[in-house]
Amino acid sequence: GSRSLCGAIGSRLIWSAIGSRSLCGAIGSRLIWSAIESRPNLVCCFKYSVCMRVPQPSQTWNIYHAVQQQSSFCRYVPLMVAGKLQQKTRINSRQSSSAPTARRPVTSTQQHDSNETEHARSALKLLPQYSCTIISHDEIQKILPIIDIAKSPSFSSGTNWDSIQPLGIAGSFTALSRECLITPMDISSTEYKDICTALAKHVPNFTDDQLQGVLAALTLWPQTGASHTQHFSELWRALDKEMVKRIITWDLNRSLLVADLWYSLKLTNRGVYNNAMLTSLARKMKEMKAHQLVQFLFLINVARSVPSNLNLNILENIIVTMMDELTLEELGVIAMGLFKSKSFINTDKLVDAYFERLLESDISGVSSIMIGAFFKILRKSATSKRADKQYMLLENILPAIPHLSIMAQLQVALLGNDSMVLHRKVMDQIAANFVAKCSSLRLKELERMLFVLMLYNYIPPTAPDICNVFADELRKPEREYERKLFPRVYLSCVNYLAIMGFLQHDLTSSVLQTSSVISLQGKYRYNDDDRDVMELECLLELEDIHDYTGNRLEPALKASLLQKYFNKCRLPRDALQQAELGRTKLTYHEKLTIDIEDLLGALLGGHSRVTTTFVLPHNSSPDLVFCMNESGEAAALPQKFLSYPSLSIKRPLLQDPDTGEALRWVAVVVGGRNSYVRDTTHVRGQVQLKIKQLCKLGYNVTMVPFLEYQSRNCHRRLVTLNNILVNSGALPHNPDRVSAAYVYATGE
């Protein structure tokens, strides 16, 4: 066909091929669109040769242009971003060219978790029960006040607004706001200063409906980064202040609707209304219907905190009674609100109700964001006694994993962390997906996945190897910005790889630079970053890597970190003394360690032949140590060993300093509840590293699993402990050892 020259910009010619026609436009029932990108800061939409200049290259413009036609078909109009063609948006060609277009509302520059929060709001908006309290942008006009044209003059920058009645000012402002649907305007411009100031002055004189209407009108304005502009700030703060005064007289629906309007303005956390509303509604929880309670939790999610007068136990019990009325998406919104406000579930009934609902439901159609919300709150709320339900939930989610977002998959992988529940098939699938999408992941996602793998001491059989893929990703030049912006996350990645046996010299050297370490240090107390740095330095020392030529910690800095860390640790016997004085409580692991030390001393023929010490000062759990002489008998611990400085690595002495007799050293590692992957003998990553390091020092390592050892009967515990030591080669076989030890321990 023929070509028609549509336009020329600079030296660039833009042509449009329109078949055999010579017109660019509507021909008969056929609508021809041309959206053309010309320059990085210029976007053109050719329909009547409309050209729009974009102030900032990063600013997005929605180019919608619909022409009324007799036909009723739809076209896809490109959504142009300066410099890129982003996506296509479907519009109806019947729509009038003056019809309202979608624009972003006035907003502050404060960042919001828009993805999760917006999804939650959208999910609720789709349900009919929320139609009165959640208003979409194209429905705002329904709640705008009726304009009295006679009293509401058309906007003019020269108008004396002091001479206009309050209702007329509100009407003029509403009419002006409607124009934003057609012509972009900036409310922070000085052009609108007088009308905003006059409106703010009369806010206390408005009725509740008028007050709500003015707030709704504000949402029609395009976004601005200047919510602090004096006249705009004066207006929205006046509305905020007046609404806080009136909230005690409002019913639940109006309170929630107004809160939704503030959310649309993205000023929820800048004003006072939302917190005041939550405090007010916290007293009315028992009056709320199910959908009102869900929206209440949604707004708690936005606020990131619960009102001080909210009784969480009552709230959780109310949610339990409403479970059958709520959809999975609504339950996801509740979970999101509880998690974001750090109000983790304390009521067993609610935790169980969540598990039962998810286990009996088809969750394949639930959105990734809501799946993530479920797994987040259950990870924080479910104790180890629900480990079986966690495993069942992981089994239930397995078929849906390929359809989940990478963020949701990460939350699935994290579910069993606290209770050490590992589902290998689930982990294998997620790991494979992480490998496939590694280059598109944020550094934080890489760090969390490495943490999971390190924790479970499990490297999935991915091809290529996931640790090598992640290490290569960390050193990419494109990651330099993230490495500098999130040094703590980068440090953790390197440390987790090292714990799993993937010590990367270049990465390790980069995080052990003195300047980097000092910038990460806590000023007043030891933190996790200090521990990661110290673990890397000690790992280099213990591995005795001769070909490592990278950075190392300065001795003084290392000593300082060790001292900070050691101040947080305590020996079980010291803790016992404090517990007897009522100053602290013993942990399960401390009780177990003390009991094993007592019985081990009995088996060895005296408590002086065993000690509990921090062999590895960078490890938080002490170990039991004893030595054997050449005759295979327990020997007294040399004073030189007992005199090791507390911050030093306790290396075994090859010979007794006094007698010159050769010694064989044994380190007994107490395997507590959190030392193993649930229902297996597979030890967690840091325990595995400790065993490896003890062996490297020259100890014969024996681990005492709590499941085998726990018994109320002293004789049975002695038999178990003796068998473990004999089977591991730590002690020679002696049929009389247990009976003698029992007499020693009990006096019977």
Side-chain angles (χ1 to χ4, degrees), residues 240 259 262 268-269 271-279 299-300 302-303:
D240 183 57
W262 281 112
T268 296
N269 293 328
V272 180
Y273 176 83
N274 199 58
N275 287 335
M277 179 274 305
L278 291 174
T279 301
L299 294 166
I300 284 178
V302 176

Side-chain angles (χ1 to χ4, degrees), residues 100-103 125 135-142 181 220:
T101 60
R103 298 190 184 278
K125 183 66 187 76
I135 302 295
S136 60
H137 194 265
D138 56 0
E139 296 175 329
I140 289 293
Q141 296 193 67
K142 297 179 182 178
L181 296 170
L220 298 177

